[in-house]
Amino acid sequence: MGDRCDVEVVVVGAGLAGLAAAAVAARGGASVVVCDVRAAGGRARSGTREGFVLNQGPHALYRAGAGADVLSRLGVGFSGSPPHPVASGYTEAAGGLALLPTSAGSLLRSPVLGVADKVRFARLLTTLPKLQGASFGALSAAQWTASLGLSSRGAGVISALTRVATYAGDLELVSADAAVAQLQLALEGVLYLDGGWQSLVDGLEAAATSAGARVLESERATALQARADGTFEVRTPARTLQAASVVVATGSPAAARALLPHPPAWQLGAPATAACLDLGLRRVPATMVAFGLDQPLYLSTHSPKAHLAPPGGAVVHVMRYGARTSTEDKAQLWALARRCGTGDADVVVQRFLHEMTVCHALPRPGPGLLGRPAIDATGTAGVFLAGDWVGAAGLLADASLASGEAAGRAASEHAMRRRAATGATLGR
Ligand SMILES: Cc1cc2nc3c(=O)[nH]c(=O)nc-3n(C[C@H](O)[C@H](O)[C@H](O)COP(=O)(O)OP(=O)(O)OC[C@H]3O[C@@H](n4cnc5c(N)ncnc54)[C@H](O)[C@@H]3O)c2cc1C
């Protein structure tokens, strides 16, 4: 069974959600251990090859999102730059690239839309920031797009922008409240981070450890059991951790479900998957940003913009929303990279990531964001959830960080109540 260790809060999973939970719980005064089957960081980890920093697929932080607020409250700093302002629309069937309307200026010059669509698009750019996103939860993002009265070309442009903001390959499967909120956030701007998202992982880990949390890497939690005295046992192959409260931040709902003492009755939306081609290039491609108009495709040059590449080089992420077979997706992503100006001789490093899970459960049309499981939807008092499918705030990393903060706070408060009631201090 290995070592035995008493602690007030155990966090299972050291991705963004788990690290945020650990930092908040430790700052709340609890003794904290966070364990991860791998190195800390989960899907936010970046790797460096030949001087190129590669995130796992394209990652952008929403400047006005819930995640940026959590990072700021935890004192986790970051720097970065907005994407290249000019985007092209890519029509795979015709192999064509044309200026895409993404702002008032490019709307006037873009050949992609006719006059009637341009007028409706301009109206949408003005009204979007004022829309009450929450009122659209009953609709799918596809239904909301259809309600805008655009031509099929115009709807294709909105769909491409919505896909980039939500990562949903099929807009029937994501609720419109989430889509509208993401588009509103996109208008406020996103940042490509210097040093990649590893800078967030390192900053959160430092926030957690400097508040006293211990991070155990390469330790899988294999069981979570409630004890008769109201505490919990979390077992790993190396040790048994006894805790007053537990945060389950395992990334996927399936991994969380496997640990929970009681089977949860969650109703979850569809996952959002992606196939990603991450490239480190000798030179910057001619077309730096392209959104697929007839296919769910995307290409963006993250560096130059953010500091991720050696001088003169570039980091380019190419992605298909909704992974299919590895062979067809890889060929399709390379075709887009070549169309945007990357030749074989430009490539220094490349990595194809087939079927990444970007979000484990999108908000469902109907209940919308409010229908996602809450942090305490575990059926067991003292056990909390965090992840990008948990809580009513935000999508993607915003949801992970917001639910991580809330779960960490709830876990430390639970532990403090137990400390006050019993006088017993686990792990101190
Ligand atoms: C291709 C791609 C592009 C993305 N782009 C963006 C973007 O532009 N903007 C954005 O906001 N978000 C983006 N995301 C989403 C973002 O990366 C995730 O939402 C976020 O990193 C999830 O963090 P998490 O902690 O909830 O989960 P994870 O990162 O999955 O972390 C869960 C951790 O739990 C560990 N674990 C699981 N089971 C156990 C166990 N039994 N015991 C111990 N440890 C366990 C895992 O090893 C993992 O480290 C993207 C994701 C992908 C894949």
Side-chain angles (χ1 to χ4, degrees):
M1 177 167 296
D3 289 348
R4 187 172 182 92
C5 168
D6 291 349
V7 67
E8 280 170 319
V9 175
V10 169
V11 180
V12 182
L16 296 183
L19 290 173
V24 170
R27 286 188 182 192
S31 57
V32 179
V33 165
V34 49
C35 68
D36 199 296
V37 63
R38 300 212 178 99
R43 284 167 284 160
R45 261 198 325 267
S46 335
T48 303
R49 286 166 61 185
E50 314 246 354
F52 294 90
V53 180
L54 300 181
N55 292 321
Q56 298 173 54
H59 273 75
L61 185 72
Y62 286 84
R63 295 173 100 133
D69 289 344
V70 173
L71 294 166
S72 148
R73 282 193 284 277
L74 287 172
V76 175
F78 52 83
S79 64
S81 302
H84 192 263
V86 179
S88 292
Y90 171 65
T91 312
E92 188 185 64
L97 287 168
L99 179 66
L100 195 71
T102 52
S103 63
S106 54
L107 179 60
L108 282 177
R109 290 179 287 127
S110 170
V112 172
L113 298 180
V115 175
D117 273 346
K118 284 190 178 184
V119 171
R120 290 200 178 90
F121 203 91
R123 200 178 305 136
L124 180 64
L125 280 178
T126 327
T127 52
L128 185 58
K130 297 171 224 147
L131 290 182
Q132 294 296 319
S135 61
F136 297 103
L139 299 179
S140 69
Q143 288 168 324
W144 175 74
T145 304
S147 75
L148 299 174
L150 295 154
S151 71
S152 63
R153 199 80 198 273
V157 172
I158 297 291
S159 299
L161 298 174
T162 308
R163 268 196 300 272
V164 175
T166 61
Y167 281 83
D170 182 348
L171 298 180
E172 298 282 359
L173 299 180
V174 62
S175 58
D177 59 345
V180 169
Q182 286 301 108
L183 288 168
Q184 289 172 330
L185 283 178
L187 285 180
E188 305 265 341
V190 300
L191 290 178
Y192 294 162
L193 299 185
D194 297 333
W197 275 40
Q198 191 65 39
S199 63
L200 300 184
V201 174
D202 294 344
L204 282 167
E205 188 168 359
T209 53
S210 65
R214 274 175 70 204
V215 180
L216 306 175
E217 296 187 338
S218 307
E219 279 204 36
R220 177 188 293 278
T222 53
L224 161 56
Q225 275 175 357
R227 291 163 42 103
D229 65 357
T231 62
F232 300 94
E233 260 185 19
V234 176
R235 278 199 288 279
T236 78
R239 74 196 82 223
T240 297
L241 300 158
Q242 187 187 345
S245 56
V246 178
V247 176
V248 179
T250 48
S252 78
R257 199 186 291 269
L259 284 176
L260 291 177
H262 301 292
W266 304 320
Q267 290 201 308
L268 298 173
T273 64
C276 306
L277 178 63
D278 302 333
L279 298 173
L281 305 177
R282 271 179 241 291
R283 65 184 182 90
V284 180
T287 298
M288 292 178 72
V289 183
F291 294 8
L293 294 180
D294 59 347
Q295 288 285 324
L297 296 171
Y298 174 66
L299 176 147
S300 187
T301 303
H302 283 225
S303 183
K305 274 310 196 174
H307 298 298
L308 299 163
V315 168
V316 173
H317 292 284
V318 200
M319 196 174 86
R320 180 189 160 88
Y321 301 88
R324 304 168 302 174
T325 69
S326 147
T327 314
E328 49 187 348
D329 288 350
K330 196 171 182 181
Q332 196 179 34
L333 297 181
W334 269 114
L336 174 55
R338 293 206 171 91
R339 184 67 189 86
C340 289
T342 292
D344 290 348
D346 300 324
V347 179
V348 183
V349 294
Q350 57 174 296
R351 179 178 64 185
F352 177 64
L353 299 172
H354 178 236
E355 196 151 22
M356 295 291 290
T357 301
V358 179
C359 167
H360 281 282
L362 290 164
R364 291 170 297 138
L369 282 161
L370 292 174
R372 289 196 305 206
I375 56 159
D376 58 358
T378 59
T380 306
V383 179
F384 303 94
L385 298 170
D388 55 22
W389 51 280
V390 177
L395 271 196
L396 308 166
D398 284 341
S400 288
L401 288 164
S403 60
E405 180 186 57
R409 188 181 306 119
S412 75
E413 285 170 4
H414 186 90
M416 292 306 135
R417 280 197 295 277
R418 183 179 184 280
R419 196 195 279 184
T422 63
T425 311
L426 288 166
R428 297 255 171 197

Short mmCIF file of all heavy atoms in Angstrom, two decimals, residues 13 48 62 131 143 153 171 175 180 228 236 238 261 263 282 314 366 378 399 413:
data_model
loop_
_atom_site.label_atom_id
_atom_site.label_comp_id
_atom_site.label_asym_id
_atom_site.label_seq_id
_atom_site.Cartn_x
_atom_site.Cartn_y
_atom_site.Cartn_z
N GLY A 13 -5.32 15.42 -10.28
CA GLY A 13 -5.17 16.05 -11.61
C GLY A 13 -4.50 17.40 -11.47
O GLY A 13 -4.98 18.26 -10.72
N THR A 48 9.31 22.15 -26.02
CA THR A 48 10.25 22.91 -26.86
C THR A 48 11.08 21.95 -27.70
O THR A 48 11.67 21.01 -27.15
CB THR A 48 11.17 23.78 -25.98
OG1 THR A 48 10.34 24.63 -25.19
CG2 THR A 48 12.08 24.66 -26.84
N TYR A 62 -8.37 34.14 -23.71
CA TYR A 62 -9.33 35.25 -23.85
C TYR A 62 -9.01 36.31 -22.81
O TYR A 62 -9.03 36.04 -21.61
CB TYR A 62 -10.77 34.74 -23.70
CG TYR A 62 -11.20 33.99 -24.94
CD1 TYR A 62 -10.90 32.64 -25.11
CD2 TYR A 62 -11.84 34.65 -25.97
CE1 TYR A 62 -11.24 31.97 -26.27
CE2 TYR A 62 -12.19 33.99 -27.14
CZ TYR A 62 -11.88 32.66 -27.28
OH TYR A 62 -12.21 32.00 -28.45
N LEU A 131 -25.69 41.86 -26.78
CA LEU A 131 -26.63 40.74 -26.67
C LEU A 131 -26.54 40.10 -25.29
O LEU A 131 -25.45 39.98 -24.71
CB LEU A 131 -26.31 39.66 -27.72
CG LEU A 131 -26.58 40.00 -29.18
CD1 LEU A 131 -26.25 38.80 -30.07
CD2 LEU A 131 -28.03 40.42 -29.37
N GLN A 143 -28.64 27.07 -34.89
CA GLN A 143 -29.96 27.72 -34.98
C GLN A 143 -29.82 29.23 -34.84
O GLN A 143 -30.49 30.00 -35.53
CB GLN A 143 -30.90 27.18 -33.90
CG GLN A 143 -31.37 25.76 -34.17
CD GLN A 143 -32.06 25.16 -32.95
OE1 GLN A 143 -31.67 25.41 -31.80
NE2 GLN A 143 -33.09 24.35 -33.20
N ARG A 153 -23.51 31.78 -47.71
CA ARG A 153 -22.10 32.23 -47.66
C ARG A 153 -21.85 33.01 -46.36
O ARG A 153 -20.87 32.78 -45.66
CB ARG A 153 -21.85 33.14 -48.87
CG ARG A 153 -20.41 33.34 -49.25
CD ARG A 153 -19.91 32.15 -50.03
NE ARG A 153 -18.46 32.04 -50.10
CZ ARG A 153 -17.71 32.62 -51.01
NH1 ARG A 153 -18.24 33.37 -51.92
NH2 ARG A 153 -16.40 32.45 -51.00
N LEU A 171 -21.87 22.78 -35.05
CA LEU A 171 -22.51 23.86 -34.27
C LEU A 171 -23.93 23.52 -33.83
O LEU A 171 -24.55 24.27 -33.08
CB LEU A 171 -22.48 25.17 -35.07
CG LEU A 171 -21.07 25.68 -35.38
CD1 LEU A 171 -21.13 26.99 -36.16
CD2 LEU A 171 -20.25 25.87 -34.10
N SER A 175 -24.52 24.99 -27.33
CA SER A 175 -25.61 25.93 -27.08
C SER A 175 -25.20 27.35 -27.50
O SER A 175 -24.03 27.73 -27.45
CB SER A 175 -26.01 25.91 -25.61
OG SER A 175 -24.90 26.23 -24.80
N VAL A 180 -22.46 32.76 -28.22
CA VAL A 180 -22.55 34.23 -28.21
C VAL A 180 -21.55 34.81 -27.21
O VAL A 180 -20.83 35.77 -27.50
CB VAL A 180 -24.00 34.68 -27.88
CG1 VAL A 180 -24.06 36.18 -27.59
CG2 VAL A 180 -24.93 34.32 -29.04
N ALA A 228 -15.70 6.26 7.42
CA ALA A 228 -16.80 6.41 8.38
C ALA A 228 -16.68 7.72 9.16
O ALA A 228 -17.69 8.30 9.58
CB ALA A 228 -16.80 5.23 9.35
N THR A 236 -3.00 5.94 -4.37
CA THR A 236 -2.15 5.89 -5.56
C THR A 236 -1.30 4.62 -5.39
O THR A 236 -1.25 4.06 -4.29
CB THR A 236 -1.23 7.12 -5.69
OG1 THR A 236 -0.13 6.97 -4.79
CG2 THR A 236 -1.97 8.42 -5.39
N ALA A 238 1.68 4.45 -4.92
CA ALA A 238 2.79 4.70 -3.98
C ALA A 238 2.33 4.99 -2.56
O ALA A 238 3.11 4.86 -1.63
CB ALA A 238 3.62 5.88 -4.49
N PRO A 261 -17.18 8.07 -5.32
CA PRO A 261 -17.77 7.00 -4.50
C PRO A 261 -19.19 6.63 -4.95
O PRO A 261 -19.58 5.48 -4.83
CB PRO A 261 -17.80 7.60 -3.09
CG PRO A 261 -16.82 8.72 -3.10
CD PRO A 261 -16.75 9.23 -4.51
N PRO A 263 -22.14 6.82 -8.19
CA PRO A 263 -22.26 7.15 -9.62
C PRO A 263 -23.05 8.43 -9.83
O PRO A 263 -24.17 8.55 -9.31
CB PRO A 263 -23.00 5.94 -10.21
CG PRO A 263 -23.39 5.07 -9.07
CD PRO A 263 -22.79 5.58 -7.81
N ARG A 282 11.11 27.56 -40.79
CA ARG A 282 12.26 28.45 -40.99
C ARG A 282 11.83 29.87 -41.32
O ARG A 282 12.56 30.81 -41.11
CB ARG A 282 13.08 27.96 -42.18
CG ARG A 282 14.13 26.98 -41.83
CD ARG A 282 14.87 26.52 -43.07
NE ARG A 282 14.70 25.09 -43.23
CZ ARG A 282 15.22 24.19 -42.43
NH1 ARG A 282 15.99 24.57 -41.44
NH2 ARG A 282 15.00 22.92 -42.61
N ALA A 314 8.94 30.63 -37.50
CA ALA A 314 7.50 30.79 -37.22
C ALA A 314 6.97 29.53 -36.56
O ALA A 314 7.46 28.43 -36.81
CB ALA A 314 6.75 31.04 -38.53
N GLY A 366 -30.50 23.79 -25.08
CA GLY A 366 -31.57 23.43 -24.13
C GLY A 366 -31.21 24.08 -22.81
O GLY A 366 -31.46 25.28 -22.62
N THR A 378 -21.32 15.76 -7.13
CA THR A 378 -20.60 14.48 -7.01
C THR A 378 -21.40 13.47 -6.21
O THR A 378 -21.01 12.31 -6.12
CB THR A 378 -19.26 14.68 -6.28
OG1 THR A 378 -19.53 15.23 -4.98
CG2 THR A 378 -18.34 15.61 -7.04
N ALA A 399 -13.38 27.77 -18.34
CA ALA A 399 -14.22 26.93 -17.48
C ALA A 399 -13.35 26.14 -16.50
O ALA A 399 -13.70 25.99 -15.33
CB ALA A 399 -15.05 25.98 -18.33
N GLU A 413 -12.78 25.36 2.40
CA GLU A 413 -13.80 25.74 3.40
C GLU A 413 -14.34 24.49 4.10
O GLU A 413 -14.56 24.48 5.32
CB GLU A 413 -14.92 26.53 2.73
CG GLU A 413 -14.49 27.96 2.40
CD GLU A 413 -15.47 28.72 1.52
OE1 GLU A 413 -16.54 28.18 1.19
OE2 GLU A 413 -15.14 29.86 1.15
#
